[in-house]
Protein backbone atom coordinates (compact mmCIF):
# COMPACT_ATOMS: atom_id res chain seq x y z
CA UNK A 1 0.00 0.00 0.00
CA UNK A 2 1.35 3.41 -0.88
CA UNK A 3 1.68 6.04 1.83
CA UNK A 4 0.34 8.53 -0.73
CA UNK A 5 -1.40 7.62 -3.98
CA UNK A 6 -1.51 9.73 -7.14
CA UNK A 7 -4.60 11.65 -6.00
CA UNK A 8 -2.95 12.61 -2.72
CA UNK A 9 0.21 13.66 -4.59
CA UNK A 10 -1.91 15.81 -6.92
CA UNK A 11 -3.38 17.46 -3.84
CA UNK A 12 0.13 18.39 -2.65
CA UNK A 13 1.99 19.24 -5.89
CA UNK A 14 0.79 21.72 -8.52
CA UNK A 15 2.22 19.61 -11.38
CA UNK A 16 -0.11 17.91 -13.86
CA UNK A 17 0.29 15.58 -16.84
CA UNK A 18 2.64 15.43 -18.65
CA UNK A 19 4.90 17.02 -16.03
CA UNK A 20 3.77 15.14 -12.93
CA UNK A 21 6.53 12.55 -12.63
CA UNK A 22 5.73 10.82 -9.32
CA UNK A 23 3.08 8.09 -9.26
CA UNK A 24 3.10 7.19 -5.57
CA UNK A 25 4.95 7.66 -2.32
CA UNK A 26 5.89 4.44 -0.54
CA UNK A 27 7.89 5.80 2.41
CA UNK A 28 7.58 9.13 4.22
CA UNK A 29 9.55 10.23 7.27
CA UNK A 30 10.38 13.67 8.66
CA UNK A 31 13.60 14.03 6.63
CA UNK A 32 13.31 11.25 4.03
CA UNK A 33 10.90 10.17 1.31
CA UNK A 34 10.70 7.45 -1.33
CA UNK A 35 8.60 7.88 -4.45
CA UNK A 36 7.85 5.67 -7.44
CA UNK A 37 7.64 6.60 -11.13
CA UNK A 38 6.43 3.89 -13.50
CA UNK A 39 8.05 4.64 -16.86
CA UNK A 40 5.87 3.62 -19.80
CA UNK A 41 6.23 3.68 -23.57
CA UNK A 42 3.39 6.25 -23.62
CA UNK A 43 5.53 9.01 -22.05
CA UNK A 44 5.44 11.97 -24.45
CA UNK A 45 9.21 12.51 -24.34
CA UNK A 46 9.89 9.08 -25.86
CA UNK A 47 8.54 10.27 -29.23
CA UNK A 48 11.68 12.34 -29.74
CA UNK A 49 14.19 10.97 -27.19
CA UNK A 50 15.05 8.70 -29.03
CA UNK A 51 12.52 7.04 -31.36
CA UNK A 52 14.73 4.01 -32.12
CA UNK A 53 16.14 3.71 -28.58
CA UNK A 54 13.77 5.39 -26.10
CA UNK A 55 15.67 6.80 -23.10
CA UNK A 56 14.17 8.95 -20.34
CA UNK A 57 16.00 12.31 -20.38
CA UNK A 58 18.28 12.76 -17.37
CA UNK A 59 16.82 16.16 -16.67
CA UNK A 60 13.40 14.52 -16.18
CA UNK A 61 14.88 11.99 -13.77
CA UNK A 62 16.23 14.93 -11.75
CA UNK A 63 12.81 16.60 -12.02
CA UNK A 64 11.18 13.43 -10.66
CA UNK A 65 13.61 13.54 -7.73
CA UNK A 66 12.81 17.23 -7.20
CA UNK A 67 9.06 16.56 -7.25
CA UNK A 68 9.52 13.81 -4.70
CA UNK A 69 11.42 16.32 -2.56
CA UNK A 70 8.57 18.79 -3.07
CA UNK A 71 6.10 16.32 -1.57
CA UNK A 72 8.37 15.95 1.46
CA UNK A 73 8.64 19.72 1.95
CA UNK A 74 4.96 20.49 1.37
CA UNK A 75 3.29 17.49 3.06
CA UNK A 76 3.20 18.93 6.58
CA UNK A 77 2.66 22.60 5.74
CA UNK A 78 -0.87 23.71 6.61
CA UNK A 79 -1.18 26.39 3.92
CA UNK A 80 0.63 24.33 1.25
CA UNK A 81 -1.91 25.31 -1.41
CA UNK A 82 -0.48 28.83 -1.20
CA UNK A 83 3.14 27.63 -1.52
CA UNK A 84 5.47 26.40 -4.25
CA UNK A 85 8.69 24.46 -3.93
CA UNK A 86 11.09 25.92 -6.48
CA UNK A 87 14.32 24.28 -7.57
CA UNK A 88 17.13 26.71 -6.68
CA UNK A 89 20.21 24.69 -7.65
CA UNK A 90 21.39 21.26 -8.75
CA UNK A 91 24.87 20.04 -7.89
CA UNK A 92 26.70 16.78 -8.36
CA UNK A 93 24.14 15.33 -10.78
CA UNK A 94 25.36 12.03 -12.19
CA UNK A 95 23.70 9.63 -14.57
CA UNK A 96 24.80 6.01 -14.37
CA UNK A 97 22.44 3.99 -16.59
CA UNK A 98 19.68 4.66 -19.12
CA UNK A 99 16.05 4.54 -17.99
CA UNK A 100 13.81 2.91 -20.58
CA UNK A 101 10.11 2.04 -20.99
CA UNK A 102 9.06 -0.63 -18.52
CA UNK A 103 11.43 0.56 -15.78
CA UNK A 104 10.15 1.49 -12.34
CA UNK A 105 12.11 4.38 -10.86
CA UNK A 106 12.57 4.38 -7.10
CA UNK A 107 13.18 8.00 -6.10
CA UNK A 108 14.74 8.50 -2.67
CA UNK A 109 15.38 11.97 -1.27
CA UNK A 110 16.93 12.97 2.07
CA UNK A 111 17.12 16.40 3.64
CA UNK A 112 20.72 17.34 4.40
CA UNK A 113 20.08 20.87 5.72
CA UNK A 114 16.86 22.73 6.33
CA UNK A 115 16.09 26.33 7.15
CA UNK A 116 12.75 28.17 7.22
CA UNK A 117 12.41 28.47 3.44
CA UNK A 118 15.38 26.53 2.02
CA UNK A 119 16.26 22.84 2.03
CA UNK A 120 19.35 21.12 0.68
CA UNK A 121 18.60 17.55 -0.34
CA UNK A 122 20.38 14.56 -1.80
CA UNK A 123 18.68 11.95 -3.89
CA UNK A 124 19.15 8.70 -5.71
CA UNK A 125 17.09 7.15 -8.47
CA UNK A 126 17.32 3.38 -8.83
CA UNK A 127 15.85 0.70 -11.08
CA UNK A 128 15.84 -2.86 -9.76
CA UNK A 129 18.33 -1.84 -7.05
CA UNK A 130 20.82 -0.32 -9.50
CA UNK A 131 21.61 3.40 -9.28
CA UNK A 132 20.59 5.18 -12.49
CA UNK A 133 21.03 8.77 -11.28
CA UNK A 134 21.93 10.81 -8.23
CA UNK A 135 21.91 14.50 -7.45
CA UNK A 136 22.12 17.05 -4.72
CA UNK A 137 19.78 20.02 -5.00
CA UNK A 138 18.53 23.05 -3.15
CA UNK A 139 14.82 23.83 -3.03
CA UNK A 140 13.23 27.09 -1.95
CA UNK A 141 9.78 27.35 -0.44
CA UNK A 142 8.02 30.35 -1.98
CA UNK A 143 4.67 32.03 -1.60
CA UNK A 144 2.66 31.14 -4.74
CA UNK A 145 1.24 34.66 -5.18
CA UNK A 146 4.68 36.27 -4.95
CA UNK A 147 6.17 33.75 -7.41
CA UNK A 148 3.34 34.33 -9.90
CA UNK A 149 3.80 38.11 -9.61
CA UNK A 150 7.48 37.74 -10.58
CA UNK A 151 6.71 35.76 -13.73
Amino acid sequence: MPVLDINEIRDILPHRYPMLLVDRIIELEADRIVGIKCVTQNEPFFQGHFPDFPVMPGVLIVEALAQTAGVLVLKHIEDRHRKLVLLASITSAKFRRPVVPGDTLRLEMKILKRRASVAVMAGTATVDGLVVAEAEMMCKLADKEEAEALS
Side-chain angles (χ1 to χ4, degrees), residues 11-150:
D11 188 50
I12 296 169
L13 294 179
H15 304 76
R16 296 295 178 261
Y17 178 85
M19 284 307 298
L20 181 56
L21 299 174
V22 183
D23 295 324
R24 65 185 178 273
I25 301 299
I26 59 171
E27 296 178 34
L28 181 61
E29 300 168 9
D31 292 336
R32 183 180 161 278
I33 189 168
V34 178
I36 298 294
K37 165 65 177 155
C38 299
V39 182
T40 71
Q41 180 63 47
N42 298 326
E43 308 286 350
F45 49 80
F46 284 138
Q47 292 178 26
H49 199 267
F50 305 100
D52 294 331
F53 182 70
V55 175
M56 184 173 184
V59 68
L60 293 181
I61 298 169
V62 171
E63 174 66 20
L65 287 166
Q67 288 180 21
T68 303
V71 172
L72 178 60
V73 170
L74 290 171
K75 173 64 177 149
H76 300 291
I77 295 176
E78 284 185 32
D79 62 342
R80 69 175 174 241
H81 297 291
R82 297 192 337 225
K83 304 290 185 184
L84 290 174
V85 177
L86 302 174
L87 191 56
S89 70
I90 302 169
T91 56
S92 306
K94 295 184 176 134
F95 304 96
R96 308 280 185 198
R97 299 172 178 276
V99 174
V100 298
D103 285 347
T104 299
L105 275 175
R106 183 180 191 275
L107 308 157
E108 182 173 351
M109 294 296 295
K110 296 177 186 176
I111 295 176
L112 302 177
K113 293 184 221 174
R114 187 181 221 165
R115 297 219 164 89
S117 65
V118 176
V120 177
M121 301 185 179
T124 304
T126 59
V127 173
D128 296 329
L130 299 173
V131 175
V132 297
E134 53 194 315
E136 188 174 305
M137 59 190 72
M138 183 178 358
C139 301
K140 177 166 177 36
L141 186 62
D143 184 67
K144 193 181 282 188
E145 289 179 10
E146 288 177 22
E148 289 172 351
L150 295 174

